Amino acid sequence: MTAVRALWYTPGVLHVIDQRALPGRRRVRHLRTPEAVARAIRTLTVRGAPCIGVAGAYGMALASRTRGRTRAASARLLLATRPTAHDLSVGVEVVRRAWVAGEETETAAEQYCARVVEECRQIGEAGARLFAHTPRVLTHCNAGALATVQWGTALAPLRVAHDRGASLFVWVDETRPLLQGSRLTAWELAEEGIPHAVIVDNAAGHFMRTGAVDAVIVGADRIARNGDVANKIGTYEKAVVARENGIPFYVAAPWSTFDPKRANGSTIPIEERDPEEVRGRVGPAHMPSSSAARNPAFDVTPARYVTAFITPAGVVPPRRLAAWLRTHLP
Ligand code: MRU
């Protein structure tokens, strides 16, 4: 069970845990304007695809409270922050439509948030049985409560399995350059007493090849109709190495992450972030100042490497995904 909640709303204010400060400090930011929400998303104060979708929904609700804001400009401001996560456009659009219809936008955002939380709870239920007999699980980045408001996607089935007595052990990829694994996933697991160890990203292949990993589970930022998955940079490598070693590779996501209009992953926009994140802004420099750096934040894993998707409605292999989405997508 998780007590962590990444954000909450009181009239006119979106309160978010500042994820840049974890695990050292638990600091809360109070966002009162769509500009403040956009800045929080861009700087990864709030992060993780489902969570930024919810933040985007509240950003639109805050915009609607202020005279002079237009729907189109507010949506553009929020959508320009991070291009890869499909959830952001879903959250913004839900509240934009409520605004157009003259409905209560804060209620629309609250309902959207509740829907995401409930879907993540369902993912936990749907996926828990997969981990009853696969005790050693590797995960990449942070797809926990911090990334989804509550529960998580990749971490939800692990939470439920742990609550039900499964003896789990989680390998946590550190996740360079911003360390969402070691800072955030390890923090969430430690809070709940789930045994784990942090490894450098380059060690994942070693542990998979030497038989120390029974399954891999990750979240996603966008999943195309054919099952191609955009997720944190490095996910593709983990999927390929898992396949090479006969290890199941699961992707857990709420409905807002699925992009059924996109046939495959080749056109998913990949966010490229500031190279300074690679250079290392604090402590000793990571590299000569004259060297260039590149910083793609996500990569695309072809569907053929995915064993199954864990969705709110159950577990589905990639070959059945398109039909599954036609039946279940809200
Ligand atoms: O750059 P981030 O930290 O927002 O990246 C997050 C991820 O890649 C997560 O794995 C993804 O959003 C799924 S979160 C349930």
Side-chain angles (χ1 to χ4, degrees), residues 221-233:
D221 277 72
R222 191 185 293 253
I223 302 171
R225 191 167 69 234
N226 74 335
D228 288 354
V229 176
N231 191 47
K232 181 52 59 195
I233 192 78

Side-chain angles (χ1 to χ4, degrees), residues 44 46-50 52 82 85 140-144 147-148 152-154 178 180 184 218-221 230-233 235 252 254 271 273 297-298:
L44 273 61
V46 180
R47 49 148 297 283
I52 64 176
R82 299 196 75 190
H140 190 64
C141 195
N142 171 263
T148 63
T153 53
L178 296 179
Q180 289 94 329
L184 307 177
V218 296
D221 277 72
N231 191 47
K232 181 52 59 195
I233 192 78
T235 301
E271 176 185 7
R273 294 186 62 83
F298 301 96

Side-chain angles (χ1 to χ4, degrees), residues 8-30:
W8 60 97
Y9 187 79
T10 55
V13 190
L14 177 62
H15 311 269
V16 302
I17 293 184
D18 187 339
Q19 300 194 28
R20 300 166 305 175
L22 290 171
R25 271 174 301 163
R26 194 165 177 156
R27 185 198 285 160
V28 176
R29 301 275 174 194
H30 310 286

